[in-house]
Amino acid sequence: MAKRLVPLLNRVLVERIVPPSKTTTGILLPEKSAKLNSGKVVAVGPGTRDKEGSFIPATVKEGDTVLLPEYGGTEVKLGDKEYYLYRDEDILGTLHD
Amino acid sequence: MAKRLVPLLNRVLVERIVPPSKTTTGILLPEKSAKLNSGKVVAVGPGTRDKEGSFIPATVKEGDTVLLPEYGGTEVKLGDKEYYLYRDEDILGTLHD
Amino acid sequence: MAKRLVPLLNRVLVERIVPPSKTTTGILLPEKSAKLNSGKVVAVGPGTRDKEGSFIPATVKEGDTVLLPEYGGTEVKLGDKEYYLYRDEDILGTLHD
Amino acid sequence: MAKRLVPLLNRVLVERIVPPSKTTTGILLPEKSAKLNSGKVVAVGPGTRDKEGSFIPATVKEGDTVLLPEYGGTEVKLGDKEYYLYRDEDILGTLHD
Amino acid sequence: MAKRLVPLLNRVLVERIVPPSKTTTGILLPEKSAKLNSGKVVAVGPGTRDKEGSFIPATVKEGDTVLLPEYGGTEVKLGDKEYYLYRDEDILGTLHD
Amino acid sequence: MAKRLVPLLNRVLVERIVPPSKTTTGILLPEKSAKLNSGKVVAVGPGTRDKEGSFIPATVKEGDTVLLPEYGGTEVKLGDKEYYLYRDEDILGTLHD
Amino acid sequence: MAKRLVPLLNRVLVERIVPPSKTTTGILLPEKSAKLNSGKVVAVGPGTRDKEGSFIPATVKEGDTVLLPEYGGTEVKLGDKEYYLYRDEDILGTLHD
């Protein structure tokens, strides 16, 4: 059973971050508090190809925390873990503290 | 919880300007008086990519007051603040006094 | 309240010319007499971008009297004046006496 | 009231030729006799733009008699005359005796 | 009344070949015998334009017998003759004995 | 009556191979046994045009046995023989023993 | 009967990997356990063509284990074996232990 996926072209493999329902001190967070559709970049493809066929690298890199679009994303199950494949140009931005 | 978003490619993060319902001296403004759909640019992505992959910078910059299109814009909640992501080429113009 | 709009890219800000319903000597013009959908160019954006990102200037300039397409145009209210934003390539031609 | 229109880009201003219903000697032409949708070129825009922004001239010129497509054409009334605006690439051909 | 049409761009003027219903010796041809939708090229436009505006000549030339697509073709009546205008790239091939 | 067709641009003339219903030794082949939609290349056009107008040759050549797509193909009857015209880029692959 | 298919352009011939319903030690795998839509690359076309007509090689190669998209793929039966043709750019990634 395959454990690792190397995305092709400008695809990006992301592990979704499930927003905590409680604060670190255990207080229940209100249902409607800001829920960011975000994730961690696990693997990145070589990028898109220019006219001569060389690769233009993706704009995100492994380890980035990224803001994901509301729709899209192809579900990929590797072993018992769930990931999602996005196209680099569909990822909205990188998130920072 | 992420506090800051760096937009990717030619995306622009905007904080909407809510038009005042009263004048500075407290007089109620008529409902139909000119309501500009405008906002303040908070962050700008690196721009679009040309054929070789280098970035062509966006046409607006941080701090600009901009006229927004009637439709579009992706809502992004960071902490308790509400922002909107637009594509640079969808922003109509910059507003000046 | 913003008073001035600088259009972005190849957008053109136009003030519509309302055709007179009477001749200069006060005679009522027939309803169906030629009503040109025209306007005065008030401001012009830097133009469209070529592949390297430099601007290709618009074909019309401030002060031109232009023939407008039947449809399109984004309404923009600045103070108590009404303008319309068109794309340069949608403007049909320049009008001359 | 504007009298003259200078078309923009590759637009062509045409005055339609109304086919005669009688021969020069006054004989009524049969209804279904060949009715060419043709016109006289009155004004031509500078042409389309290439990637650097310079103009590629239109293929027709002022004074040409042209065969018009069945559909399309934007009606333009200048004074009491009626014209039609076509895109250069939509004009089918030039007519010669 | 115009007698001659010079097609514009990559348009090709064709006179349709009506397949004979009898053999040369007068024998009636079966209804379903091969009916080729073919024609004779009467006039050819200068061709399509490349990025700089120069013409890339059409692939067919005056006098060619060509196989026409099942659909398309703009009818043009010049005097009492009937022609059809095709785009060069829509013509399927040239026919030879 | 034309006997030979020279395809234009990247069109390819193919004679379909009708799969045998019996083996060479006369045994009836099961109905659902693999039926490849294949054919023999009879003639190939000069290819597609690059930006300057020169031809980029087709990827198949006369005599190739090719795997055809499930749909598409324009029927052409030349004399009493039946052929099909395909675009070079729609042909799936070449078949070899 | 053709035994071998050489894909054209950027097509990739894949033999699907049917996920085992039991572990190697014979234990039945739960129905909903991760079922990867994967396959083995059997043959790869020369790739896509750049503007001059030379080939830009595909991103996968013979022998790769690949993650396939949920939809698409053209079924091809060669002898008694079943394969699927995909376009190189539709294959999601390569799988590794």
Side-chain angles (χ1 to χ4, degrees):
Chain A
M1 170 70 82
K3 293 283 176 320
R4 198 164 60 85
L5 171 70
V6 174
L8 285 170
L9 294 175
N10 67 338
R11 292 182 181 89
V12 177
L13 192 65
V14 172
E15 191 176 358
R16 282 235 181 107
I17 295 168
V18 179
S21 54
K22 292 181 189 165
T23 64
T24 43
T25 54
I27 303 160
L28 258 178
L29 280 166
E31 181 49 41
K32 63 165 192 50
S33 75
K35 290 238 171 13
L36 276 181
N37 185 15
S38 62
K40 196 86 170 171
V41 172
V42 172
V44 183
T48 46
R49 279 183 142 165
D50 66 16
K51 289 179 309 171
E52 279 76 43
S54 14
F55 286 107
I56 299 174
T59 58
V60 297
K61 60 183 182 322
E62 217 176 287
D64 279 352
T65 305
V66 289
L67 180 64
L68 300 169
E70 203 176 344
Y71 305 104
T74 307
E75 194 186 327
V76 177
K77 281 192 185 157
L78 291 172
D80 52 14
K81 287 196 103 177
E82 207 172 80
Y83 299 97
Y84 289 83
L85 268 176
Y86 289 90
R87 293 280 185 172
D88 178 44
E89 73 264 21
D90 293 336
I91 294 177
L92 303 178
T94 54
L95 289 163
H96 309 265
D97 293 327
Chain B
M1 169 70 82
K3 293 285 177 317
R4 196 164 61 85
L5 171 70
V6 174
L8 285 170
L9 295 175
N10 66 338
R11 292 182 180 90
V12 177
L13 193 66
V14 172
E15 191 176 358
R16 282 236 181 107
I17 295 169
V18 181
S21 53
K22 293 180 189 165
T23 65
T24 42
T25 54
I27 303 160
L28 259 177
L29 281 166
E31 180 50 40
K32 62 167 193 50
S33 74
K35 292 244 172 12
L36 275 181
N37 185 13
S38 61
K40 197 88 170 172
V41 173
V42 172
V44 182
T48 46
R49 279 185 144 162
D50 67 16
K51 288 179 311 170
E52 278 76 41
S54 14
F55 287 107
I56 298 175
T59 58
V60 296
K61 59 184 181 325
E62 217 177 287
D64 280 351
T65 305
V66 290
L67 180 64
L68 300 169
E70 202 176 344
Y71 304 104
T74 306
E75 193 185 330
V76 177
K77 280 191 185 157
L78 290 173
D80 52 14
K81 288 196 104 177
E82 206 173 80
Y83 300 96
Y84 289 83
L85 267 176
Y86 289 89
R87 294 280 185 172
D88 179 45
E89 72 265 20
D90 293 336
I91 295 177
L92 303 178
T94 53
L95 289 163
H96 309 265
D97 293 325
Chain C
M1 168 71 81
K3 293 284 176 320
R4 197 164 61 83
L5 171 71
V6 174
L8 285 169
L9 295 175
N10 66 339
R11 292 182 180 90
V12 177
L13 192 66
V14 172
E15 190 176 358
R16 282 233 182 109
I17 295 169
V18 181
S21 53
K22 292 181 189 165
T23 64
T24 42
T25 55
I27 303 161
L28 258 177
L29 281 167
E31 180 51 40
K32 64 167 193 49
S33 73
K35 292 241 171 16
L36 274 182
N37 185 14
S38 62
K40 196 88 171 173
V41 173
V42 171
V44 182
T48 46
R49 281 185 142 161
D50 67 17
K51 288 178 311 170
E52 278 77 40
S54 13
F55 287 106
I56 298 175
T59 58
V60 296
K61 59 184 181 324
E62 216 177 289
D64 279 351
T65 305
V66 289
L67 180 64
L68 300 169
E70 202 176 343
Y71 304 105
T74 305
E75 193 186 331
V76 176
K77 280 190 185 158
L78 290 174
D80 52 15
K81 288 195 103 178
E82 207 173 78
Y83 301 96
Y84 289 82
L85 268 176
Y86 289 89
R87 294 279 185 171
D88 178 44
E89 72 264 22
D90 294 336
I91 295 179
L92 303 179
T94 53
L95 289 162
H96 308 265
D97 293 328
Chain D
M1 170 70 83
K3 293 285 174 321
R4 196 165 60 85
L5 171 71
V6 174
L8 285 169
L9 294 176
N10 66 339
R11 292 181 181 90
V12 177
L13 193 66
V14 172
E15 190 175 358
R16 282 232 182 111
I17 295 170
V18 181
S21 54
K22 292 181 189 163
T23 64
T24 42
T25 55
I27 302 159
L28 258 176
L29 280 167
E31 179 51 39
K32 64 165 192 50
S33 72
K35 290 237 171 20
L36 273 182
N37 185 13
S38 62
K40 195 89 169 170
V41 173
V42 171
V44 182
T48 46
R49 281 184 142 160
D50 68 16
K51 287 179 311 172
E52 279 77 41
S54 14
F55 287 107
I56 299 175
T59 58
V60 297
K61 59 184 183 322
E62 215 176 289
D64 278 351
T65 304
V66 289
L67 180 65
L68 300 169
E70 203 175 345
Y71 304 105
T74 306
E75 194 186 330
V76 176
K77 280 190 185 158
L78 290 173
D80 52 14
K81 288 196 105 179
E82 207 173 78
Y83 300 96
Y84 289 82
L85 268 176
Y86 288 89
R87 294 279 185 173
D88 178 44
E89 71 265 22
D90 294 336
I91 295 179
L92 303 179
T94 53
L95 289 163
H96 310 265
D97 293 328
Chain E
M1 170 70 84
K3 293 281 172 321
R4 196 164 60 85
L5 171 71
V6 174
L8 285 169
L9 295 176
N10 67 339
R11 293 181 181 89
V12 177
L13 192 65
V14 172
E15 190 174 359
R16 283 235 182 110
I17 296 169
V18 182
S21 54
K22 292 181 190 163
T23 63
T24 40
T25 54
I27 302 159
L28 259 175
L29 279 167
E31 179 50 41
K32 64 166 192 50
S33 73
K35 290 235 171 21
L36 273 182
N37 184 15
S38 62
K40 196 89 169 171
V41 172
V42 171
V44 182
T48 46
R49 281 184 141 161
D50 68 16
K51 287 180 311 172
E52 279 78 41
S54 15
F55 286 107
I56 298 175
T59 56
V60 297
K61 60 184 183 322
E62 215 175 290
D64 278 353
T65 305
V66 289
L67 180 64
L68 300 170
E70 203 176 344
Y71 304 105
T74 305
E75 193 187 330
V76 177
K77 278 191 186 158
L78 290 173
D80 53 13
K81 289 196 105 178
E82 206 173 80
Y83 300 96
Y84 289 83
L85 268 176
Y86 288 89
R87 293 279 185 174
D88 178 44
E89 72 265 22
D90 294 336
I91 295 178
L92 302 179
T94 53
L95 289 163
H96 309 264
D97 293 327
Chain F
M1 170 70 84
K3 294 281 173 323
R4 196 164 60 86
L5 171 70
V6 174
L8 284 169
L9 294 176
N10 66 340
R11 292 183 181 89
V12 177
L13 192 66
V14 172
E15 190 176 359
R16 283 236 182 107
I17 296 169
V18 181
S21 54
K22 292 181 189 164
T23 64
T24 41
T25 54
I27 304 160
L28 259 176
L29 280 166
E31 181 48 41
K32 64 166 192 50
S33 72
K35 290 235 172 17
L36 274 181
N37 184 14
S38 62
K40 196 88 167 168
V41 173
V42 172
V44 182
T48 46
R49 280 183 142 161
D50 67 17
K51 288 180 310 172
E52 280 77 41
S54 15
F55 286 106
I56 298 175
T59 57
V60 298
K61 60 184 183 322
E62 218 177 287
D64 278 353
T65 305
V66 290
L67 180 64
L68 300 169
E70 202 176 346
Y71 305 105
T74 306
E75 193 187 328
V76 177
K77 279 191 186 158
L78 290 173
D80 53 14
K81 288 196 104 178
E82 206 172 81
Y83 300 96
Y84 289 85
L85 268 176
Y86 288 90
R87 292 279 184 173
D88 178 44
E89 71 266 21
D90 294 335
I91 295 178
L92 303 180
T94 53
L95 289 163
H96 310 264
D97 293 328
Chain G
M1 170 70 82
K3 294 283 175 319
R4 196 164 60 84
L5 172 70
V6 174
L8 285 169
L9 294 175
N10 66 339
R11 293 182 181 89
V12 177
L13 192 65
V14 172
E15 191 177 357
R16 282 235 182 107
I17 296 169
V18 181
S21 53
K22 292 181 190 164
T23 63
T24 42
T25 54
I27 303 161
L28 259 177
L29 280 166
E31 181 48 42
K32 63 166 193 50
S33 74
K35 290 236 172 14
L36 275 180
N37 184 14
S38 62
K40 197 89 169 170
V41 173
V42 172
V44 182
T48 46
R49 280 183 141 161
D50 67 17
K51 288 179 310 173
E52 280 77 41
S54 15
F55 287 107
I56 298 175
T59 58
V60 296
K61 60 183 183 323
E62 218 176 288
D64 279 353
T65 305
V66 289
L67 180 64
L68 301 169
E70 201 176 347
Y71 304 104
T74 306
E75 193 186 328
V76 176
K77 280 191 185 157
L78 290 172
D80 52 14
K81 287 196 104 178
E82 207 173 80
Y83 300 96
Y84 289 84
L85 268 176
Y86 289 90
R87 292 280 185 171
D88 178 44
E89 73 265 20
D90 293 336
I91 295 178
L92 303 179
T94 53
L95 289 162
H96 310 265
D97 293 327

